[in-house]
Amino acid sequence: MSSASLGRTNLRARSAIRAAFTLLVAAAAYEAVARSGAFPKALVPTLPTVAHTLLDMLLDGTMLRHALYTMYRVLVGMGVAVAIGLPLGILMARFRAVEGFFMPLVAVLMPIPSFAWVPLFILWFGLGNTATILIVVYAATFPMLLNTWTGVRSVNPIWLRAAGAMGARGTNLFWKVIVPGASPFIVTGVRQAFLRAWIAVVGAEMIAASAWGLGWVIFDAKEFLNADIMLASLAVIGAIGFAFERLVFGSLERATVMRWGMVRAAKG
Amino acid sequence: MHHIEVRDVTLVYDTPGGKVPGVSGVSFALEPSEFLCIVGPSGCGKTTLLNILAGFLAPAVGEIRIGGKAVTGHGLDRGIVFQDFAQLFPWRTALGNVAFGLEMKGVPKEEREAIALKQLELVKLGKFAHAYPHHLSGGMQQRVAIARALAYNPAVLLMDEPFAALDALTRDEMQRLLADVWQATGKTVIYVTHNVAEAVYLADRVIVMTPHPGTVKAEIRVDLPRPRDPLSVEFLEHQKALLRHLTEQAVPA
Amino acid sequence: MSPVRDVAAAADAAALAGAPPHSRAGGRARAVARAMFPFLVVGAIWELIAHSGLFPARLFPKLEEIGGALVSLTAQGILQHHALETVVRLLAGFGVAAVLGVAIGIAMGRSRRAEDVLLPLVSIGAPIPGLAYAPLFLLWFGLGDFGAIALVGFVSAFPIIINSWSGVKAVKEIWVRAAQAMGADDRRLFRHVILPGALPYILTGLRLGLAQAWRILVAVEMLAAVPWGLGWMIFGAREFLNTDVMLAGIAVIGAIGLALEKLVFERLENYTVVRWGMMTS
């Protein structure tokens, strides 16, 4: 091993050590504040308390149930958002008239935060799953739609011509050229849609859910000053979001656009 | 005394695969206002050598003296033109780019803009002083880069294949323009290229470098009258001689 | 150089400088009509449903009632008061996030030490949805303005930090070298090269941060106990089934969001990075 590569390994090791050090210091600082007694224990619980609460909630199954409710709402909402955004985005990109009709509506609806609809949806659909899922749908549809639309429009015209010259028409052209050609953007769209959905579901559950869900449990814990439950749930929310981002979308990307060397196009 | 002296310059790159010699024991000297071309295949260390001259890299062994003073880093005694069009600052107009060095020197705004405009006129871009780089063609951007490198009046101009990314016609125009600019300003120029005809067209002297490790293989003086005719017999003779040196070393020893 | 290209570039420059339009009045009127058409269709459908009596009128108000609510709330000065409070909170939170976020992001991009120390914290904090912090912030900082502004600032700082950091990292090495060769010292390198070079990313970060701040703020105003604010207005309207007030509030929220995006950021971008060709509009 040469001195340079050794140097680089050292550099990386030092970064990792510094990162670990930062986290330790942050944790220690928090712990010191929590133990100092400057703040009520209920508001600033010690880390062992939080860990204990997390473990208890995991073991008795309540955390799992909260997480499952949240996942259910996110996945159903995402499913509906993809079912709307994907075909509509493709139609808008392929047909002028569709684009001309929907684009102004999208431009006006998009800047409205999904949470602004929460009170109205509660009135219309009551507290519970329907209102929550609709908020998720509202949040997730726009990134899906816009990315698909951009993706299909940016399919390299040379591919279309080449495929046309080789006799591809209609559905063949659509499924074998346009969809894969637009896939980097579509994957980005699904990814952004998930991020938005994940943000939306936590907020919507706080305001509109009735008994279960990670957002609801955090908000409910506020009533009883259970900061340990809040922090434990925050950790679970962060972990699920991180896992989806890295594991699900990371591997989805690796299996498709990265393998095709197209991933740069997806970053825009 | 020579204007530029390069003595026994050696630099070794540390890579994950081990030590790779960049340049090894390179020596040569230049007189004031001389135009030197360094020719060689990719990987022969010619760009490394230019970066050492510019002060971006420090040699492990050997030294470089310009006007008797040892080079220890970058300095305003050298102007640099890279191959990449992206070297211009996109957030500054052509004039703003050319005036940058003077601004760093602390020259007052009016004075530096007058100088910059004169430099732009020298490369025939006076009309485009207020255009942003992305509105200029590749050849125009490289001309701005040349004006930028000349504006703060360095004694030496270092050029790293500045025209390699241009189309053939534009490249011919640029070579003619550079020869004119050089004659008008009297700068000492070190010009790196892999294009043999370009070297014969521009240089007073050509150094041929060979890779693994990068060393000087041959030195050829080009004593043709200027402006040079690329189709003349003498020109083609020089080209052949250079090519012979380059192809000989391509055969593995 | 090829003269043809120069002419093309000149023509391009002229077009950018704003060549006189060739009587586009007719075309513009048609474009406006075409943009209005979908709203007419949606409006008509809404009216049909509202008048059909399919749903209770309280829950599905007619468009004229929504318009009426908008007018009377404005006439009484209530809407302006709500909107003003919301915008002040937004600017306070976002302002803090912008200053701190850009500073932290640039520090992380410039210094390896700062990067090593801060990146782990940022990458743990960023993926958690902003609102999930809301109860904690309200618990720690109180249910009022301070808690709301602190949360908005905290949440919107993340995209600003991350984008400023990657912006500094993405500054082309060749610009740095060219500037150094021309005698730029560290301070001027930063001001004249790093900062403008990273600007496209920094602006994107600010834009994302502001959008995030806006989304969070509307929700926080519902959760916190603040007497004024658009989020509170539409949430409070729920108690009395004032659906018309809600929809009027939603319209105003959308309009402010659109205005921030179009008037502030598009102009800023057109004036800088778009003009420099570093970003297409």
Side-chain angles (χ1 to χ4, degrees), chain B residues 105-125:
Chain B
K105 252 177 154 177
V107 177
K109 188 174 161 71
E110 260 173 48
E111 193 185 334
R112 68 178 185 245
E113 287 190 346
I115 297 173
L117 192 62
K118 220 174 285 165
Q119 294 299 333
L120 280 171
E121 277 160 3
L122 188 67
V123 293
K124 306 201 174 74
L125 282 177

Side-chain angles (χ1 to χ4, degrees), chain A residues 12 32 89 143 172 194:
Chain A
R12 201 174 301 141
N172 255 335
F194 176 80

Side-chain angles (χ1 to χ4, degrees), chain C residues 130-202:
Chain C
L131 260 191
Y133 295 110
L136 204 62
F137 269 68
L138 296 178
L139 204 58
W140 284 351
F141 300 115
L143 283 170
D145 270 333
F146 189 75
I149 292 171
L151 181 71
V152 168
F154 180 75
V155 169
S156 57
F158 284 108
I160 301 175
I161 292 174
I162 290 171
N163 277 279
S164 305
W165 168 63
S166 17
V168 172
K169 293 242 149 184
V171 169
K172 290 200 173 109
E173 184 57 31
I174 198 167
W175 296 336
V176 174
R177 285 197 166 192
Q180 282 174 338
M182 288 186 279
D185 52 33
D186 277 355
R187 195 174 53 80
R188 284 185 293 190
L189 189 68
F190 177 73
R191 184 165 126 59
H192 291 290
V193 179
I194 309 273
L195 215 51
L199 198 61
Y201 286 80
I202 294 177

Side-chain angles (χ1 to χ4, degrees), chain B residues 4 8 16 59 87 119 128 191 197 225 234 237:
Chain B
I4 301 177
D8 199 28
Q87 66 190 291
Q119 294 299 333
F128 292 91
Y191 187 106
E234 296 85 354
E237 288 294 334

